[in-house]
Amino acid sequence: MVKVAPSLLSASFNELGFDVKTVIEAGADLIHLDVMDGVFVPNITFGPAIIKSLPRTEGVEFDAHLMITQPENHIDSFLELELDRISIHVESTIHLQRLLRKIKNTGTKSAVALNPSTSLSSIEWVLDDIDMVLIMTVNPGFGGQQFIPAMTKKIELMKEMIVHKGLPIEIEVDGGVCPGNIRELTDAGVDIVVAGSAVFGKNDYKKAIDELKNPR
Ligand code: DX5
Ligand code: ZN
């Protein structure tokens, strides 16, 4: 069954801690944390201090998605938090391999994120340094955008690459996920779906998460 990672970007920022607990009770497998700097993406959200203040629950992973330029300048503050996963955008740093290896060596799962226009070939030589690939299915920056249909093929090709090389790499997708495209995504090989508006935009979080895990 696909794992669901609700994105706090669509939660209420004045009661984030409450929303984290509520969505975990509703069946969230991971909590997706969108860190934006207003430079790499045209929006600003939150950083390590806010993440540190959030309640943690055993067995529910904290999954940070760093949409910041030169993440190497800030990585130590995120590593101190002992998060479960950290995703670094290919487009955000020059020495990608060094940074992914640094994350992995601390015991945090390292992941590489790709904007929709970024080719899979850009990560060919870091496959040994990652535990997950985050395929963006919208251009990052905002919640509530439309899924880009061409990304399904990209996910299929990524899955093929992973299977062909026999690597234990998970695929996460982020952007425009909804009950209507979940089957297409899981058929393509997705392990984890990020869902912002498809969870926090609904009144009943449990029903919303169930609909993603068990599509009709
Ligand atoms: C977009 C963020 C996403 C966003 C997804 O830049 O990375 O995590 O919250 O929101 P939805 O699911 O509404 O597209
Ligand atoms: Zn995200």
Side-chain angles (χ1 to χ4, degrees):
M1 191 184 282
V2 73
K3 289 188 241 177
V4 176
S7 161
L8 293 191
L9 186 60
S10 298
S12 313
F13 275 30
N14 71 338
E15 47 188 7
L16 277 182
F18 174 79
D19 271 341
V20 168
K21 284 187 193 157
T22 312
V23 89
I24 288 174
E25 280 165 21
D29 300 290
L30 303 88
I31 298 295
H32 186 77
L33 304 155
D34 287 304
V35 178
M36 304 186 183
D37 68 354
V39 179
F40 182 73
V41 287
N43 194 5
I44 301 175
T45 54
F46 48 77
I50 298 282
I51 295 177
K52 190 175 181 185
S53 74
L54 297 173
R56 306 274 285 263
T57 297
E58 181 93 34
V60 180
E61 296 189 30
F62 265 27
D63 175 35
H65 175 193
L66 305 191
M67 288 162 273
I68 59 178
T69 46
Q70 297 187 306
E72 58 275 14
N73 293 345
H74 301 279
I75 196 65
D76 289 340
S77 335
F78 288 99
L79 290 175
E80 272 173 24
L81 302 180
E82 299 186 0
L83 303 170
D84 300 282
R85 302 177 189 238
I86 298 180
S87 293
I88 300 292
H89 267 268
V90 180
E91 308 86 1
S92 68
T93 182
I94 295 172
H95 300 289
L96 181 66
Q97 192 275 342
R98 177 189 288 152
L99 188 52
L100 293 170
R101 187 37 67 181
K102 178 171 179 173
I103 295 168
K104 204 169 161 66
N105 286 348
T106 65
T108 297
K109 290 177 192 163
S110 69
V112 67
L114 292 93
N115 281 339
S117 66
T118 303
S119 172
L120 294 180
S121 61
S122 62
I123 61 169
E124 190 179 351
W125 299 104
V126 294
L127 293 176
D128 290 333
D129 306 296
I130 57 173
D131 301 286
M132 183 176 88
V133 176
L134 169 51
I135 297 190
M136 290 306 301
T137 42
V138 298
N139 287 288
F142 303 96
Q145 302 183 80
Q146 286 281 312
F147 176 83
I148 300 171
M151 294 301 107
T152 303
K153 185 72 193 167
K154 190 177 187 181
I155 297 160
E156 286 170 3
L157 291 172
M158 187 67 233
K159 185 69 181 180
E160 261 176 48
M161 201 192 286
I162 291 168
V163 171
H164 178 70
K165 293 184 187 281
L167 294 166
I169 296 175
E170 289 181 294
I171 300 178
E172 179 176 61
V173 295
D174 186 3
V177 171
C178 64
N181 57 24
I182 201 88
R183 197 175 284 283
E184 176 180 330
L185 293 171
T186 50
D187 284 352
V190 166
D191 302 289
I192 303 164
V193 291
V194 175
S197 42
V199 172
F200 288 107
K202 304 283 165 65
N203 291 326
D204 186 339
Y205 298 165
K206 182 166 178 358
K207 187 163 168 249
I209 292 173
D210 284 349
E211 273 176 9
L212 295 172
K213 290 191 183 187
N214 305 296
R216 272 179 250 158

